[in-house]
Structure formats: C-alpha cells, structure tokens
Amino acid sequence: MTDRLANARARLERVGQGHVLRHASRLNKAQQDRLLSQVEAIDWHQVTRLVEAYVSNKPRFAMPRKLEPAEFYPAQPPANLAGKYVDARALGERLIREGKVAAFTVAGGQGTRLGWEGPKGIYPATPLRRLSLFGCFAEYLRKVHSKYGRRCPWYIMTSPANDAATRQYFQENDHLGLDPADVVFFPQAMMPAFDMASGRVLLESPDSLALSPDGHGGSLKALHRSGALEDMRRRGIEQISYIQVDNPIVKVIDPLFVGLHALDRCQMSSKMVPKAYPKERLGNFCMVDGRVTVIEYSDLPDELAEQRIRGGPRDGQLRFQAGSIAVHVIRVDFVEAINASGDFALPYHRAEKKVPYWDFDRDAPVDPPQPNAVKLETFVFDALPLCERSIILETDRVEEFAPIKNADGVDSPATSRALQIERAARWLESRGVRVPRNAEGEPDAVLEIRPLTAIEPDDLDPASLPKTIARGSEVLI
Ligand code: UTP
C-alpha cells in the first residue's frame, strides 16, 4: 500500500492535483484502497488537458459556416417512397428474425432532475399497472419474440453508481420474464467533477472523489471496453437499437427504422419529431460539411431557429424542424471501427453544476448553494458526423416520445402519463373502439395497453376488444 500511495501521490503532484491524496494517511486501509482504486482508474494526463480546455477556459460553440437542415424520411411515406418503406420494414423484420438485432438501453444517468432514489429504469411509469420503465422494455422485447420467433438480446449500460441496484432489481423480478442469458449489463466510465475556480478535482468524502458518469456518449467506448461488442459478435448481432431509459413508449426495436437504416447502408441513424416550437429543448438535426450533425437547442441561433419554409407542401413549417428524440440504430462494425483507432474521443460538453464536496479545512461536507463545479460529459449524437451515411426517420410524438425527465412540468411523469393514455386511445379508436373524450378532446378514461398485448395498433385483435370504453373507467388491455 505504501508504494501504491507514494506512486499515486507523485503522479497527482505532477499534474497539480496533489490535494486528492494529501490527507490519505489519516484513512484506514479500506478507505485508502477505495480512493486509490478511483485514482488509478483515471487518465490524469487527459484530466490536465480537460481542465485546460474546459474548466480554466469556457469553450465557445464554433458555429459552422454553413448550416443546412438535415433531410429526413417522413413518418407517412409519400407515394414515391411507399414501396421503399414496405421493403424496409420487411428487411427490418428479416434482420430481427435472423437474430441480427439487439436492443441497447443507456441507463447510466443520475436522473437528478426526476429526484428518484435508485436506478431510473425502476421508476413506475405506466398509468394503471405502474409498470417500471425496464418493465415496459422487457414486455416489448417479449412481444418482439412472440411476433418474430426470435429472442433479441438486451444490453443495458449502467454506471458504477447504479449497477448493483439495477442487477438486483432484475434478479428479484425474475429478469422481467426474459431469459437471464439475454440480458447483459455493463457499467460505463466515470468522470471527476472539477472545482470551477481552481480546476481541482473535487472529493465528495475523504475517501472518495466526486465522480459522475461520463455521459451517454460514453456508451460507445463502454460497449467496446466491457466486451459487450464481442458478445454481440459471438451472437451474430449486426445492428444495435439504441434507446434511453426514460421513455416508456419508445419502440425498443422498430423494424421500419432498422430496415431503412440497413437498406441505405448507414453506420448510425436517428429518429426525429418535428419541434413543437422554434427553441424547444431538443437537439437539431443539421447538415455540416455533408454530414449529419446535432446542434443543441442552446447553440442554434434564434434567427435560424425561427426560419420558416415558404411555399411547397411544407409551407409554414420550421426550416430546422427535426428535433432529436435520442433513438438510434447503430451498426456493430461502426462501433468497432471507431474504437479500433485507440484514440477515439467524442468532444466533451461542459455543464456548471452544484456538486457537494468535502472541505478538508473544516473536515465537513459542503452542500453548495450555487453551482461550484464543472462536469464534463460526452453525447452519443456527436458520433453522427463520423458517419459517411446516416438517415433520419420522422415519427409522431404521441406514438413514441413520452419522456420522464423532470419531477413536474414538461417531460414529467404527468405529461408522460397523458401521452401514454392518448396513444392507447388512438390505437383503440383505430381498431373501432369508442373512447370517451372530454371537451378538450382528451380521453376521459385511464387506458393502458400492455406491450405484451400490442406494440403497434395492428397487434390489437378487434374481436377481443370492448366496443366502448365507459366514461371515467380504468381499462387495461
Ligand atoms: P439525461 O440527459 O436525461 O441525463 O440522460 P440523466 O443523468 O439521466 O438525468 P439528469 O440530467 O441527471 O436529470 C438521457 C439518457 O442517457 C442516459 C440516461 O440514463 C438516460 O437514459 N445516460 C446519461 C447515461 O447512460 N449515462 C450518462 O452518463 C448520462
């Protein structure tokens, strides 16, 4: 331990982070071991570069000289594309049946805005059963299995902070009805938080750095480092259906999307919804130097955000209307290729946050009232400009975007619940069921459709549905 401590100390002193171990001799062996393990897992030369680039300096967004809106496949195919959509769906279904598609959920985030204790995937999301987010995805995959006769493996990226609790949840709940061999967990890497004024790494307690997950972009490295990519290769997986953990109605695997992406021989593709208003907090799909690039809502200049199309079939629509819903299909060999170079790195995004830390002068924890720290994360969509080919598919928000991000207000459990009920109502109405609606046009009943029953309206068998839903009733289909 003494050598280990001395080596680590020397390394930290060299990069101006000596404070991390300055009090380590007061710790017991187990505490020293914990702290040293964290220190040894960090590339301190990279840390020095990051402090210089992102903490001491605030990188300004470099607006590309030419920014064009990205083209997309419309949700409803125009006549000239109808045949292609049919072929694409057939191809997507064939890839699923041949066992070439895996589901991948990034679930390593801290979910601070929601304020839920424990992994977000355990959050009870559905209107009636209060089924968890993981439960929704598991039922979806069980339905995919029953429809296509093939089990799709499910990869779940956790973080060291929620890995054990996530695995325990699956264990205690019989892997949500899935074969445990088909559910693969792996943790992402962590990144220290930096004191905003000094650039020094913060400690949350005398024996631990203040660490947080390195962003969903970390998934592209974690897939490689964890051996998940090799596991995919062994199973013959070619395409990864990437989803976030917070959207209970996401199409965990969408044959049309997988098929369009595969037909067009893309490396990584995306889904979008038309933005509801110019500065909606969604990433904007743009073209920069011939590559699809996501520009964050805060970086898109107002004048571009407000521009409208004049004339033609899309008259009046926002020119930059494609908002990202963080759903992608990614080729396995693309993730392999970007990792093969050894120095693959996505750009970091800087966020100023309130990070509790340990004050060694007072020997006490501090809960800062104002943002005191810089956190750095990478975003998965920053891999899009690395793709030679990448398509975007439009989708209807009510059909597949009901995220649970905040405790109240927009993108909260309440808005998600309303969208889930609206989608269920539409699906039932499309199969001839009369659904009561109030004066505002909202369904006047609490409706929930199990993914095990239907993952698209056509899965609903009209013969087994009620003719009418009673006003104010609760109906689980
Ligand atoms: P968010 O951007 O909503 O972040 O993540 P978050 O950490 O979950 O929530 P807040 O900001 O603290 O409230 C979008 C998706 O990316 C995953 C999340 O689990 C979610 O599925 N994610 C985010 C990771 O897997 N790792 C990360 O480091 C960050």
Side-chain angles (χ1 to χ4, degrees), residues 106-113 157 188 213-216 244-245 405:
V106 287
Q110 293 174 303
T112 34
R113 285 171 288 171
M157 185 177 79
Q188 67 179 111
D214 64 352
H216 41 67
Q244 299 196 152
V245 78
K405 297 264 186 209

Side-chain angles (χ1 to χ4, degrees), residues 234-269:
R234 272 195 300 277
R235 293 177 195 247
I237 301 296
E238 291 176 0
Q239 305 284 0
I240 304 170
S241 179
Y242 171 107
I243 59 164
Q244 299 196 152
V245 78
D246 46 30
N247 179 5
I249 62 171
V250 69
K251 292 187 184 173
V252 180
I253 294 179
D254 176 359
L256 172 65
F257 182 36
V258 172
L260 281 172
H261 157 90
L263 258 187
D264 284 356
R265 302 195 322 281
C266 299
Q267 286 94 23
M268 174 169 170
S269 297

Side-chain angles (χ1 to χ4, degrees), residues 302-350:
D302 288 357
E303 114 206 32
L304 291 184
E306 308 278 349
Q307 276 178 3
R308 304 242 168 215
I309 297 168
R310 293 278 160 251
R314 286 166 49 199
D315 183 45
Q317 291 178 10
L318 291 173
R319 192 163 161 257
F320 289 87
Q321 66 167 301
S324 173
I325 58 166
V327 174
H328 303 282
V329 179
I330 311 171
R331 282 185 67 100
V332 170
D333 59 10
F334 172 66
V335 190
E336 286 170 343
I338 53 182
N339 278 287
S341 70
D343 59 357
F344 156 62
L346 294 174
Y348 281 92
H349 294 252
R350 176 192 205 272

Side-chain angles (χ1 to χ4, degrees), residues 419-434:
L419 282 162
Q420 291 177 62
I421 294 173
E422 173 61 28
R423 186 179 81 160
R426 286 191 190 179
W427 285 15
L428 291 172
E429 285 164 342
S430 77
R431 308 303 277 164
V433 177
R434 273 213 306 284

Side-chain angles (χ1 to χ4, degrees), residues 25 48 53 65 155 237 258 294 364 432 452 456:
S25 35
T48 309
R65 271 193 301 136
Y155 295 82
I237 301 296
V258 172
V294 170
L452 274 178
E456 56 186 322

